[in-house]
Amino acid sequence: MFKGSLVALITPMREDGSVDEKAYADFVDWQIKEGTHGVVPVGTTGESPTLSHAEHRRVVEIAIEVSRGRVPVIAGAGSNSTEEAIALARHAKEAGADAALIVTPYYNKPTQEGMFLHFTAIADAVDLPIIIYNIPPRSVVDMSVETMARLAKHRNIIGVKDATANLVRPLHTRRACGDDFCQLSGEDHTALAFNAAGGVGCISVSANVAPRLCSQMQTAWAEGRVTEAMALQNRLVPLHDALFAETSPGPVKYAASLLGKTSERCRLPLAPLMGPTRERVKAAMTDVGLLN
């Protein structure tokens, strides 16, 4: 169910910083019509750290309502508090999400055993497929392959979003967790290389503004049209570069604003983009063919 190009959705906001529910619903629908294979609300790209719990729940609900079963919805439900993560995962289940994406606990710096107990507690409490989100640059901790293999034995823990950018990792994860363990890249630049090492898709930032191209790339790879997939990968490189020129989701929200999908507004402590970054994003969008 979870494969191909899945988008780590931005959360559109009005200029006053409030969540723009209409723009968000339209954006999810546009993503699906453009060929995105799955949507992932309220991850880091969706500014989950600065949404209230009520906003978080509502954003998940809108994504599910708009998707109407056309594509799977993987709801962000992570927290560095185990009880809070359980509550968010329970809401995702009740709202009708197909899975929950749960990040390794940030700031607390748990040991490998602490991470094992954290994810086990969530998986025991909520009967919903869980995808582990391993992103050491943001969470500081890095789940080992050995810990992931222990967790993969739980019937509710079915995969990983791997944002380590370490292309050796999926090879070892596949051997340790089995061929059925769903490995999704969390890093746009290495999406195809990750697939070659055992992945089945990417939870993408760039797909927010290039959903059709990202979808076509993943489909071409899955169907064995490797040369076509690599050509699309090469075309997208300037966009990937620009969208991480400053802390995400600042650049991608600005890029989406250039398409008329939302304002560029992010909540503090994310600052407005610097002038040179704006020019770089605009140039990349033009280079890739997303702007005239």
Side-chain angles (χ1 to χ4, degrees):
M1 178 181 289
F2 311 117
K3 60 184 179 181
S5 178
L6 302 102
V7 60
L9 290 164
I10 57 172
T11 301
M13 293 176 183
R14 301 181 182 88
E15 290 297 341
D16 65 2
S18 60
V19 175
D20 189 336
E21 294 190 5
K22 173 67 165 56
Y24 184 69
D26 290 345
F27 188 72
V28 173
D29 188 57
W30 176 70
Q31 283 284 328
I32 295 169
K33 289 176 177 175
E34 285 290 294
T36 290
H37 301 120
V39 297
V40 185
V42 286
T44 308
T45 310
E47 296 179 78
S48 58
T50 54
L51 295 183
S52 70
H53 286 179
E55 289 171 326
H56 183 119
R57 291 191 292 268
R58 182 60 186 142
V59 167
V60 169
E61 290 163 2
I62 292 170
I64 293 166
E65 290 165 6
V66 173
S67 296
R68 300 191 309 276
R70 290 178 289 170
V71 298
V73 178
I74 304 173
S79 173
N80 63 336
S81 161
T82 304
E83 288 187 8
E84 187 173 290
I86 288 171
L88 293 172
R90 280 177 174 156
H91 171 264
K93 167 78 173 179
E94 292 162 4
D98 297 286
L101 179 68
I102 298 179
V103 70
T104 48
Y106 43 87
Y107 192 77
N108 300 7
K109 294 185 71 174
T111 61
Q112 294 297 317
E113 184 65 16
M115 283 188 276
F116 173 78
L117 294 173
H118 172 79
F119 280 94
T120 298
I122 300 165
D124 285 345
V126 187
D127 189 17
L128 183 69
I130 289 171
I131 295 173
I132 297 165
Y133 182 14
N134 192 32
I135 181 166
R138 283 190 185 261
S139 67
V140 183
V141 292
D142 182 3
M143 182 178 288
S144 69
V145 172
E146 292 75 19
T147 300
M148 199 164 294
R150 291 174 68 195
L151 288 168
K153 295 175 183 177
H154 197 293
R155 66 186 182 88
N156 285 336
I157 297 177
I158 58 98
V160 60
K161 175 185 177 182
D162 184 323
T164 64
N166 177 357
L167 292 173
V168 176
R169 186 68 62 90
L171 296 170
H172 290 296
T173 299
R174 187 173 188 175
R175 287 177 61 85
C177 299
D179 292 348
D180 293 335
F181 194 68
C182 177
Q183 293 198 72
L184 299 166
S185 171
E187 212 281 322
D188 276 297
H189 283 90
T190 60
L192 286 191
F194 188 89
N195 284 354
V200 293
C202 180
I203 297 180
S204 167
V205 172
S206 295
N208 277 285
V209 292
R212 187 172 296 276
L213 292 175
C214 291
S215 172
Q216 289 173 339
M217 182 185 76
Q218 289 286 341
T219 299
W221 177 270
E223 294 178 353
R225 292 179 279 117
V226 176
T227 300
E228 181 181 340
M230 292 181 68
L232 287 164
Q233 173 183 248
N234 292 342
R235 180 177 170 184
L236 285 163
V237 167
L239 182 66
H240 301 332
D241 290 343
L243 295 187
F244 291 93
E246 288 187 37
T247 303
S248 185
V252 72
K253 289 193 94 170
Y254 175 65
S257 77
L258 295 175
L259 298 177
K261 300 299 180 183
T262 177
S263 76
E264 63 180 279
R265 181 71 152 76
C266 291
R267 287 183 178 173
L268 291 172
L270 293 183
L273 289 190
M274 295 182 291
T277 304
R278 291 171 184 273
E279 292 305 314
R280 184 174 181 184
V281 170
K282 189 178 294 185
M285 295 278 283
T286 302
D287 185 7
V288 173
L290 302 174
L291 293 176
N292 294 326

